[in-house]
Amino acid sequence: MTIRFTRRAALLGAAALASGTAAAQGTDYPSRPIRAVVPSPPGGPPDLIIRALAPKLSAAIGQTVVIENRPGAGGIVGTAQVARMPADGYTWLFTTASHVNTPPFNPNVNFDPIADFTHVTLAVQNFGQALVVHPSVQATNLAELIALAKREPGRLTYVNAGNGTASHIPAELMKAMTGTDILSVPYRGVGEGVTDLLAGRIDMFFVGTNVALEHVQAGRLRAIALTGARRWKGMPDVPTMQEQGLAGYDVVNWFGLWMPAGAPRPIVEKAHAAMRTAVNDPEILALFDTQGLQGIAMPPDQFAVFVQEQSRIAQEIGRRVNAAPR
């Protein structure tokens, strides 16, 4: 077989090579809109946060960042879909600490939270979840809540928006540390859980401060505790779990940005730089200040180490919770 090279073929080949080199170097990135996948329903903390950030991210990176909710199985469905996408920087994953917290509690997880992703940045974190109860619950502090749970084992209920999520782990850790029997009730997302809690169909919820605050201020819910190590100025009268006797209890929720594994370093750095600009925007700083959130924008290498350590901690919590009497 004879192969003939023409000048046109040579030019096309050179153009393709140049295009591939530019893509690898990220010099033309982004040249089209970016999809930021949130693997949970609209209205939950990660959805609210990324939607607030999206206009700032779009301006910083030079292309529209489009939010796409892909809920299912406590975040597993959407996260697994992103893991299978091309590592070209046009599909982002924005989710919570459940990214590493879910696998120890669910044998059906079909992704590796470390190996299947490029770790871009720890974008935001909170001061801990707010443990809130419906006003009908006869408890105004943690000691009273625990006493009530022990008097009537299995009667109290809590919202579980997915195993391994920030609604599930704090509750199960509390149960393990106090020897209480509180019923986990599964929900498809935070919004549904809040609706039923406000209606009095369920008793308690470990939920983000940015979701809890307005309902607590309006008297529709009662805040019992915060799960972090220190109080938040937005709820200055709400003590931490540690202050109320649970030594070493420190659970905060964080929100990260990932791409599929193998994303080129220049593209990762551009996305990280856009997030750093967004979380430091004066409007975002003011918004976060009212919601109990902190913009972090951790560098990619540091975030990769952070994710590995958080995965290790999640495995330990999983063993502790699963070993507790039921």
Side-chain angles (χ1 to χ4, degrees):
M1 179 175 66
T2 302
I3 301 177
R4 292 185 174 87
F5 290 96
T6 66
R7 186 171 183 275
R8 175 177 171 78
L11 290 173
L12 289 173
L17 178 61
S19 176
T21 301
Q25 294 176 346
T27 55
D28 63 344
Y29 174 83
S31 59
R32 63 179 188 272
I34 296 165
R35 289 186 303 157
V37 174
V38 179
S40 53
D47 179 71
L48 296 174
I49 290 170
I50 193 62
R51 289 185 186 278
L53 290 172
K56 309 300 182 182
L57 288 167
S58 298
I61 207 163
Q63 280 286 345
T64 303
V65 176
V66 180
I67 313 304
E68 182 176 322
N69 295 88
R70 293 188 182 181
I76 294 174
V77 172
T79 301
Q81 287 176 339
V82 172
R84 296 191 295 267
M85 297 298 291
D88 56 8
Y90 290 97
T91 304
W92 294 357
L93 172 71
F94 190 83
T95 189
T96 70
S98 62
H99 183 73
V100 295
N101 290 341
T102 298
F105 294 92
N106 195 322
N108 297 317
V109 170
N110 54 351
F111 60 85
D112 185 315
I114 297 173
D116 289 342
F117 295 89
T118 299
H119 311 282
V120 179
T121 185
L122 167 59
V124 180
Q125 69 180 26
N126 67 11
F127 287 84
Q129 300 294 90
L131 169 54
V132 291
V133 300
H134 187 266
S136 63
V137 175
Q138 299 300 304
T140 59
N141 56 50
L142 185 62
E144 292 176 356
L145 184 65
I146 298 306
L148 179 60
K150 289 187 172 181
R151 284 198 304 271
E152 302 180 66
R155 186 186 72 80
L156 290 177
T157 56
Y158 81 86
V159 173
N160 178 356
N163 285 349
T165 65
S167 63
H168 173 242
I169 283 185
E172 291 299 325
L173 187 58
M174 179 186 74
K175 289 166 57 178
M177 293 178 72
T178 59
T180 49
D181 178 11
I182 302 172
L183 181 64
S184 167
V185 180
Y187 282 82
R188 289 182 293 182
V190 171
E192 288 187 358
V194 169
T195 297
D196 272 11
L197 181 63
L198 291 172
R201 290 187 286 268
I202 198 160
D203 298 310
M204 69 184 75
F205 196 176
F206 285 85
V207 70
T209 51
N210 57 324
V211 175
L213 183 60
E214 64 171 302
H215 301 299
V216 171
Q217 289 177 332
R220 294 187 290 266
L221 297 175
R222 181 185 306 126
I224 297 293
L226 292 180
T227 64
R230 57 194 178 99
R231 294 193 189 196
W232 172 48
K233 68 178 183 180
M235 294 181 174
D237 298 327
V238 180
T240 67
M241 302 285 273
Q242 290 188 27
E243 289 180 89
Q244 298 184 75
L246 293 192
Y249 191 108
D250 182 11
V251 181
V252 300
N253 197 17
W254 48 270
F255 306 83
L257 179 65
W258 289 265
M259 296 178 189
R265 180 72 185 202
I267 288 176
V268 173
E269 290 176 348
K270 285 188 177 182
H272 169 248
M275 183 62 75
R276 185 176 62 239
T277 298
V279 300
N280 286 293
D281 182 273
E283 291 182 7
I284 296 298
L285 289 172
L287 176 65
F288 282 2
D289 189 55
T290 65
Q291 296 183 338
L293 299 170
Q294 299 173 286
I296 307 296
M298 183 181 287
D301 290 343
Q302 187 179 345
F303 183 46
V305 174
F306 175 87
V307 172
Q308 288 183 328
E309 176 62 11
Q310 291 298 307
S311 180
R312 183 191 65 79
I313 292 171
Q315 295 287 342
E316 291 182 359
I317 292 176
R319 285 192 291 270
R320 181 173 185 175
V321 168
N322 291 331
R326 297 289 167 176

